[in-house]
Amino acid sequence: SANLPVVLEEALEKAGRRVQDVDVFASTAGPGLVAALLVGNTAAKALALAAKKPFIAVNHLEGHMLSPFITRPQGLTPHLSLVVSGGHSLLVDVRGTGDYTLLGRSRDDAAGEAFDKVAKMLALPYPGGPEIDKLANEGDPTRFAFPRPMMHEDHLDFSFSGLKTAVLYTLPKLTPSGDPHDLDRQTMCDLCAGVRQAIIDVLLHKAMKALQKTRHKVLAVSGGVSCNSALREQLKTACERRRIELVLPPNSLTTDNAAMIAFAGLLRARHGDFSPLDTPVDPNMKLAGAQTRK
Ligand code: KG4
Ligand code: ZN
Protein backbone atom coordinates (compact mmCIF):
# COMPACT_ATOMS: atom_id res chain seq x y z
CA SER A 1 0.00 0.00 0.00
CA ALA A 2 2.82 2.38 0.84
CA ASN A 3 4.91 1.62 -2.24
CA LEU A 4 2.24 1.45 -4.91
CA PRO A 5 1.62 5.21 -5.33
CA VAL A 6 5.39 5.78 -5.59
CA VAL A 7 5.82 3.05 -8.22
CA LEU A 8 2.78 4.31 -10.13
CA GLU A 9 4.12 7.87 -10.29
CA GLU A 10 7.55 6.65 -11.35
CA ALA A 11 6.03 4.44 -14.09
CA LEU A 12 3.93 7.31 -15.44
CA GLU A 13 6.91 9.64 -15.39
CA LYS A 14 9.13 7.15 -17.24
CA ALA A 15 6.40 6.59 -19.83
CA GLY A 16 5.81 10.35 -20.18
CA ARG A 17 2.07 9.86 -19.53
CA ARG A 18 -0.56 11.16 -17.13
CA VAL A 19 -3.24 8.97 -15.54
CA GLN A 20 -5.80 10.54 -17.93
CA ASP A 21 -3.81 9.22 -20.92
CA VAL A 22 -4.36 5.60 -19.89
CA ASP A 23 -7.12 3.88 -21.90
CA VAL A 24 -7.71 0.81 -19.72
CA PHE A 25 -6.76 -0.17 -16.18
CA ALA A 26 -5.92 -3.84 -15.56
CA SER A 27 -4.91 -5.59 -12.37
CA THR A 28 -4.33 -9.14 -11.12
CA ALA A 29 -7.50 -10.59 -9.57
CA GLY A 30 -6.01 -13.98 -8.63
CA PRO A 31 -4.66 -16.49 -7.87
CA GLY A 32 -2.47 -15.22 -5.03
CA LEU A 33 -2.42 -13.84 -1.51
CA VAL A 34 -5.64 -11.96 -0.87
CA ALA A 35 -4.00 -8.97 0.86
CA ALA A 36 -1.63 -8.36 -2.05
CA LEU A 37 -4.42 -8.86 -4.60
CA LEU A 38 -6.64 -6.33 -2.83
CA VAL A 39 -4.00 -3.60 -2.83
CA GLY A 40 -3.42 -3.69 -6.60
CA ASN A 41 -7.03 -4.39 -7.47
CA THR A 42 -8.44 -1.57 -5.38
CA ALA A 43 -5.90 0.90 -6.77
CA ALA A 44 -6.68 -0.04 -10.39
CA LYS A 45 -10.42 0.16 -9.82
CA ALA A 46 -10.10 3.54 -8.12
CA LEU A 47 -8.02 4.87 -11.02
CA ALA A 48 -10.49 3.52 -13.58
CA LEU A 49 -13.38 5.13 -11.73
CA ALA A 50 -11.59 8.47 -11.38
CA ALA A 51 -10.39 8.54 -15.00
CA LYS A 52 -13.76 7.20 -16.31
CA LYS A 53 -12.00 4.36 -18.15
CA PRO A 54 -12.76 0.61 -18.24
CA PHE A 55 -11.29 -1.91 -15.81
CA ILE A 56 -10.09 -5.46 -16.54
CA ALA A 57 -9.51 -8.19 -13.93
CA VAL A 58 -6.62 -10.37 -15.14
CA ASN A 59 -5.70 -13.89 -14.10
CA HIS A 60 -2.06 -13.96 -12.95
CA LEU A 61 -1.44 -17.19 -14.88
CA GLU A 62 -2.89 -15.71 -18.05
CA GLY A 63 -0.41 -12.86 -17.58
CA HIS A 64 2.49 -15.33 -17.46
CA MET A 65 1.06 -17.37 -20.32
CA LEU A 66 0.80 -14.44 -22.74
CA SER A 67 4.05 -12.77 -21.62
CA PRO A 68 6.26 -14.44 -24.28
CA PHE A 69 4.23 -12.60 -26.93
CA ILE A 70 4.90 -9.10 -25.54
CA THR A 71 8.09 -8.96 -27.61
CA ARG A 72 7.05 -11.21 -30.54
CA PRO A 73 6.64 -8.84 -33.52
CA GLN A 74 3.80 -10.87 -35.08
CA GLY A 75 1.92 -10.97 -31.74
CA LEU A 76 -0.18 -13.80 -30.36
CA THR A 77 -0.67 -17.00 -32.35
CA PRO A 78 -2.18 -20.41 -31.46
CA HIS A 79 0.45 -22.35 -29.54
CA LEU A 80 1.35 -24.78 -26.81
CA SER A 81 2.08 -22.97 -23.55
CA LEU A 82 4.35 -24.23 -20.78
CA VAL A 83 3.94 -22.13 -17.64
CA VAL A 84 6.56 -22.85 -14.99
CA SER A 85 6.36 -20.56 -11.97
CA GLY A 86 6.75 -20.81 -8.21
CA GLY A 87 3.14 -21.85 -7.75
CA HIS A 88 2.20 -23.60 -11.01
CA SER A 89 3.46 -25.95 -13.72
CA LEU A 90 0.98 -26.07 -16.57
CA LEU A 91 0.75 -27.24 -20.17
CA VAL A 92 -2.02 -25.35 -21.96
CA ASP A 93 -3.38 -25.52 -25.49
CA VAL A 94 -3.85 -21.83 -26.41
CA ARG A 95 -6.00 -21.10 -29.48
CA GLY A 96 -6.54 -17.40 -28.77
CA THR A 97 -7.11 -14.87 -26.00
CA GLY A 98 -9.34 -16.59 -23.43
CA ASP A 99 -9.47 -19.85 -25.40
CA TYR A 100 -7.46 -22.26 -23.26
CA THR A 101 -7.48 -26.01 -22.67
CA LEU A 102 -5.48 -27.40 -19.79
CA LEU A 103 -3.50 -30.44 -20.97
CA GLY A 104 -1.39 -31.11 -17.89
CA ARG A 105 -0.34 -29.71 -14.52
CA SER A 106 1.77 -30.60 -11.53
CA ARG A 107 0.08 -33.07 -9.19
CA ASP A 108 2.20 -31.85 -6.26
CA ASP A 109 5.00 -29.25 -6.17
CA ALA A 110 5.41 -26.76 -9.01
CA ALA A 111 8.78 -26.68 -10.79
CA GLY A 112 9.76 -23.39 -9.11
CA GLU A 113 8.65 -24.77 -5.75
CA ALA A 114 10.91 -27.79 -6.29
CA PHE A 115 13.87 -25.46 -6.95
CA ASP A 116 12.99 -23.43 -3.83
CA LYS A 117 12.52 -26.44 -1.52
CA VAL A 118 15.74 -28.13 -2.62
CA ALA A 119 17.59 -24.80 -2.22
CA LYS A 120 16.26 -24.54 1.34
CA MET A 121 17.57 -28.04 2.11
CA LEU A 122 20.95 -26.96 0.76
CA ALA A 123 20.82 -23.80 2.92
CA LEU A 124 20.80 -21.56 -0.17
CA PRO A 125 18.96 -18.20 -0.12
CA TYR A 126 15.38 -17.70 -1.32
CA PRO A 127 14.29 -17.77 -4.12
CA GLY A 128 16.28 -20.91 -4.79
CA GLY A 129 15.88 -21.12 -8.57
CA PRO A 130 18.48 -18.51 -9.52
CA GLU A 131 20.93 -19.80 -6.87
CA ILE A 132 20.70 -23.41 -8.04
CA ASP A 133 20.97 -22.23 -11.65
CA LYS A 134 24.23 -20.35 -10.89
CA LEU A 135 25.90 -23.20 -8.95
CA ALA A 136 24.67 -25.80 -11.46
CA ASN A 137 26.67 -24.06 -14.20
CA GLU A 138 29.84 -25.27 -12.43
CA GLY A 139 28.49 -28.75 -11.65
CA ASP A 140 28.33 -32.19 -13.24
CA PRO A 141 24.68 -33.13 -13.87
CA THR A 142 25.53 -36.85 -14.16
CA ARG A 143 27.16 -37.35 -10.73
CA PHE A 144 23.84 -37.79 -8.91
CA ALA A 145 21.03 -39.78 -10.52
CA PHE A 146 17.90 -38.00 -9.33
CA PRO A 147 14.45 -39.34 -10.30
CA ARG A 148 12.43 -38.04 -13.27
CA PRO A 149 8.92 -38.78 -11.93
CA MET A 150 6.13 -39.51 -14.44
CA MET A 151 8.42 -38.66 -17.34
CA HIS A 152 7.61 -41.77 -19.36
CA GLU A 153 3.94 -41.99 -18.44
CA ASP A 154 1.59 -41.17 -21.29
CA HIS A 155 -0.33 -38.31 -19.59
CA LEU A 156 0.95 -34.73 -19.48
CA ASP A 157 0.93 -34.15 -15.70
CA PHE A 158 4.08 -33.47 -13.70
CA SER A 159 5.28 -34.49 -10.25
CA PHE A 160 8.27 -32.84 -8.59
CA SER A 161 7.87 -33.59 -4.89
CA GLY A 162 9.97 -36.79 -5.11
CA LEU A 163 12.99 -34.70 -5.99
CA LYS A 164 13.28 -33.07 -2.58
CA THR A 165 12.96 -36.51 -0.93
CA ALA A 166 15.77 -37.83 -3.15
CA VAL A 167 18.01 -34.92 -2.14
CA LEU A 168 17.04 -35.44 1.51
CA TYR A 169 18.23 -39.08 1.36
CA THR A 170 21.38 -38.16 -0.56
CA LEU A 171 22.66 -35.53 1.91
CA PRO A 172 23.58 -37.86 4.84
CA LYS A 173 25.54 -40.04 2.39
CA LEU A 174 27.73 -37.07 1.49
CA THR A 175 28.41 -35.66 4.93
CA PRO A 176 27.91 -37.54 8.22
CA SER A 177 26.31 -34.49 9.84
CA GLY A 178 23.80 -34.16 6.98
CA ASP A 179 24.48 -30.42 7.28
CA PRO A 180 24.75 -28.81 3.82
CA HIS A 181 27.29 -26.31 5.21
CA ASP A 182 29.77 -29.22 5.48
CA LEU A 183 29.58 -30.03 1.75
CA ASP A 184 32.53 -29.09 -0.42
CA ARG A 185 31.78 -26.57 -3.17
CA GLN A 186 32.07 -29.05 -6.05
CA THR A 187 29.60 -31.44 -4.41
CA MET A 188 27.19 -28.55 -3.89
CA CYS A 189 27.50 -27.59 -7.58
CA ASP A 190 27.03 -31.23 -8.67
CA LEU A 191 23.90 -31.56 -6.52
CA CYS A 192 22.48 -28.37 -8.06
CA ALA A 193 23.34 -29.54 -11.58
CA GLY A 194 21.68 -32.93 -10.92
CA VAL A 195 18.48 -31.35 -9.61
CA ARG A 196 18.32 -28.76 -12.38
CA GLN A 197 18.76 -31.40 -15.09
CA ALA A 198 16.13 -33.70 -13.54
CA ILE A 199 13.58 -30.85 -13.61
CA ILE A 200 14.57 -29.82 -17.15
CA ASP A 201 14.37 -33.39 -18.49
CA VAL A 202 10.79 -33.77 -17.26
CA LEU A 203 9.66 -30.33 -18.51
CA LEU A 204 11.28 -30.83 -21.90
CA HIS A 205 10.00 -34.36 -22.38
CA LYS A 206 6.40 -33.46 -21.49
CA ALA A 207 6.46 -30.30 -23.62
CA MET A 208 7.68 -32.28 -26.66
CA LYS A 209 5.01 -34.93 -26.05
CA ALA A 210 2.33 -32.22 -25.84
CA LEU A 211 3.57 -30.65 -29.10
CA GLN A 212 3.24 -34.03 -30.78
CA LYS A 213 -0.28 -34.54 -29.42
CA THR A 214 -1.57 -31.05 -30.28
CA ARG A 215 0.45 -30.68 -33.51
CA HIS A 216 1.22 -27.08 -32.52
CA LYS A 217 4.24 -25.60 -34.29
CA VAL A 218 4.81 -22.88 -31.68
CA LEU A 219 5.92 -23.41 -28.07
CA ALA A 220 5.77 -20.52 -25.57
CA VAL A 221 7.42 -20.91 -22.18
CA SER A 222 6.83 -18.52 -19.29
CA GLY A 223 6.97 -18.06 -15.50
CA GLY A 224 9.94 -17.56 -13.19
CA VAL A 225 11.57 -20.90 -14.06
CA SER A 226 11.66 -19.94 -17.75
CA CYS A 227 14.65 -17.69 -17.05
CA ASN A 228 16.67 -20.78 -16.11
CA SER A 229 19.72 -20.62 -18.37
CA ALA A 230 20.03 -24.36 -19.06
CA LEU A 231 16.29 -24.77 -19.62
CA ARG A 232 16.37 -21.98 -22.22
CA GLU A 233 19.39 -23.50 -23.99
CA GLN A 234 17.95 -27.03 -24.08
CA LEU A 235 14.53 -25.80 -25.19
CA LYS A 236 16.20 -23.96 -28.06
CA THR A 237 18.07 -27.07 -29.21
CA ALA A 238 15.01 -29.33 -28.91
CA CYS A 239 12.77 -26.90 -30.82
CA GLU A 240 15.30 -26.21 -33.57
CA ARG A 241 15.61 -29.94 -34.18
CA ARG A 242 11.83 -30.28 -34.55
CA ARG A 243 11.33 -27.00 -36.46
CA ILE A 244 9.17 -25.62 -33.69
CA GLU A 245 9.14 -21.86 -33.12
CA LEU A 246 10.18 -21.22 -29.51
CA VAL A 247 8.80 -18.03 -27.96
CA LEU A 248 10.46 -16.96 -24.71
CA PRO A 249 9.96 -13.74 -22.78
CA PRO A 250 13.11 -11.70 -22.15
CA ASN A 251 14.57 -12.59 -18.72
CA SER A 252 13.17 -9.39 -17.21
CA LEU A 253 9.60 -10.51 -18.00
CA THR A 254 9.85 -14.10 -16.73
CA THR A 255 9.32 -13.52 -12.99
CA ASP A 256 6.29 -11.64 -11.72
CA ASN A 257 5.91 -8.25 -13.39
CA ALA A 258 3.26 -5.67 -14.19
CA ALA A 259 3.94 -5.55 -17.94
CA MET A 260 2.52 -9.05 -18.43
CA ILE A 261 -0.71 -8.08 -16.65
CA ALA A 262 -0.96 -4.93 -18.76
CA PHE A 263 -0.39 -6.99 -21.93
CA ALA A 264 -3.07 -9.56 -21.00
CA GLY A 265 -5.36 -6.58 -20.25
CA LEU A 266 -4.58 -5.09 -23.66
CA LEU A 267 -5.47 -8.32 -25.51
CA ARG A 268 -8.69 -8.64 -23.49
CA ALA A 269 -9.55 -4.98 -24.17
CA ARG A 270 -9.25 -5.62 -27.93
CA HIS A 271 -12.01 -8.21 -27.49
CA GLY A 272 -14.11 -5.74 -25.49
CA ASP A 273 -13.75 -8.12 -22.57
CA PHE A 274 -14.04 -5.63 -19.67
CA SER A 275 -14.82 -6.39 -16.00
CA PRO A 276 -17.42 -4.65 -13.84
CA LEU A 277 -15.96 -2.60 -10.98
CA ASP A 278 -17.49 -4.94 -8.41
CA THR A 279 -15.55 -7.96 -9.76
CA PRO A 280 -14.08 -9.56 -6.62
CA VAL A 281 -10.50 -10.78 -6.21
CA ASP A 282 -10.20 -14.57 -6.04
CA PRO A 283 -7.17 -16.13 -4.26
CA ASN A 284 -7.94 -19.48 -5.96
CA MET A 285 -8.87 -18.11 -9.38
CA LYS A 286 -8.81 -20.75 -12.13
CA LEU A 287 -7.69 -20.07 -15.67
CA ALA A 288 -10.89 -19.37 -17.65
CA GLY A 289 -11.86 -22.36 -19.76
CA ALA A 290 -8.85 -24.33 -18.57
CA GLN A 291 -10.36 -26.17 -15.63
CA THR A 292 -11.34 -29.23 -17.61
CA ARG A 293 -8.82 -31.48 -19.22
CA LYS A 294 -9.04 -33.24 -22.57
O1 KG4 B 1 6.59 -16.63 -11.86
P1 KG4 B 1 7.25 -16.29 -10.58
O2 KG4 B 1 7.99 -14.99 -10.47
O3 KG4 B 1 6.24 -16.29 -9.40
C1 KG4 B 1 5.10 -17.08 -9.30
O4 KG4 B 1 4.07 -16.71 -9.87
O5 KG4 B 1 5.22 -18.12 -8.64
O6 KG4 B 1 8.22 -17.51 -10.27
C2 KG4 B 1 9.04 -17.55 -9.15
C3 KG4 B 1 9.78 -18.87 -9.21
C4 KG4 B 1 10.54 -19.18 -7.93
O7 KG4 B 1 10.21 -20.48 -7.52
C5 KG4 B 1 12.00 -19.11 -8.37
O8 KG4 B 1 12.86 -19.98 -7.65
C6 KG4 B 1 11.91 -19.50 -9.83
O9 KG4 B 1 10.74 -18.88 -10.27
N1 KG4 B 1 13.07 -19.04 -10.60
C7 KG4 B 1 13.95 -19.87 -11.20
C8 KG4 B 1 14.95 -19.07 -11.78
N2 KG4 B 1 14.64 -17.76 -11.52
C9 KG4 B 1 13.48 -17.77 -10.80
N3 KG4 B 1 13.97 -21.22 -11.28
C10 KG4 B 1 14.99 -21.77 -11.94
N4 KG4 B 1 16.00 -21.09 -12.51
C11 KG4 B 1 16.02 -19.73 -12.46
N5 KG4 B 1 17.03 -19.05 -13.03
ZN1 ZN C 1 3.93 -15.47 -11.14
Side-chain angles (χ1 to χ4, degrees):
S1 296
N3 290 330
L4 198 131
V6 183
V7 171
L8 190 66
E9 268 184 35
E10 202 181 308
L12 285 168
E13 200 182 301
K14 271 194 193 165
R17 295 281 188 278
R18 298 162 309 149
V19 172
Q20 293 84 341
D21 299 329
V22 177
D23 295 320
V24 183
F25 291 87
S27 90
T28 309
L33 295 175
V34 72
L37 294 172
L38 279 172
V39 171
N41 213 254
T42 310
K45 285 173 176 174
L47 287 165
L49 191 65
K52 299 190 173 60
K53 297 286 172 59
F55 166 73
I56 299 181
V58 173
N59 184 308
H60 178 77
L61 293 171
E62 186 178 22
H64 274 305
M65 227 169 64
L66 301 175
S67 66
F69 294 91
I70 297 177
T71 47
R72 184 180 186 259
Q74 310 92 313
L76 185 68
T77 187
H79 66 279
L80 174 75
S81 171
L82 172 65
V83 185
V84 272
S85 73
H88 297 84
S89 302
L90 306 173
L91 275 167
V92 187
D93 182 349
V94 179
R95 284 171 303 264
T97 317
D99 189 354
Y100 313 128
T101 304
L102 184 65
L103 304 173
R105 65 183 159 79
S106 178
R107 294 191 186 170
D108 40 56
D109 293 347
E113 203 176 354
F115 274 110
D116 294 338
K117 286 181 175 171
V118 168
K120 195 173 175 193
M121 280 165 39
L122 298 177
L124 297 170
Y126 180 86
E131 295 295 324
I132 292 187
D133 197 14
K134 241 185 283 161
L135 293 171
N137 286 337
E138 295 171 48
D140 170 8
T142 60
R143 177 167 161 202
F144 299 102
F146 291 123
R148 272 86 168 138
M150 294 185 182
M151 190 160 89
H152 295 295
E153 291 174 24
D154 193 45
H155 59 76
L156 295 171
D157 283 350
F158 308 99
S159 164
F160 292 110
S161 68
L163 208 53
K164 59 177 192 278
T165 319
V167 175
L168 189 71
Y169 287 136
T170 305
L171 273 180
K173 291 181 199 154
L174 300 171
T175 150
S177 64
D179 184 344
H181 295 99
D182 295 340
L183 296 172
D184 63 86
R185 187 179 160 80
Q186 193 54 53
T187 301
M188 188 68 137
C189 293
D190 293 344
L191 279 170
C192 289
V195 166
R196 180 176 74 174
Q197 198 52 48
I199 294 175
I200 292 177
D201 279 352
V202 175
L203 293 175
L204 215 75
H205 195 85
K206 291 281 176 175
M208 294 307 132
K209 190 176 278 185
L211 282 168
Q212 238 174 19
K213 282 194 178 186
T214 56
R215 298 178 184 273
H216 273 304
K217 291 281 170 222
V218 180
L219 170 66
V221 187
S222 59
V225 179
S226 74
C227 76
N228 186 277
S229 57
L231 175 64
R232 290 174 90 93
E233 276 308 308
Q234 294 177 37
L235 277 166
K236 268 182 207 151
T237 311
C239 286
E240 267 166 24
R241 200 179 304 141
R242 292 170 178 80
R243 293 170 197 242
I244 298 287
E245 182 195 349
L246 176 65
V247 195
L248 287 169
N251 276 336
S252 59
L253 297 178
T254 54
T255 47
D256 291 350
N257 64 85
M260 70 185 195
I261 303 303
F263 184 67
L266 171 70
L267 295 189
R268 288 210 164 257
R270 283 185 185 150
H271 284 81
D273 196 359
F274 303 110
S275 316
L277 279 181
D278 61 356
T279 307
V281 297
D282 178 359
N284 302 311
M285 193 175 188
K286 297 280 181 285
L287 200 58
Q291 290 95 327
T292 46
R293 277 186 285 157
K294 259 183 193 165

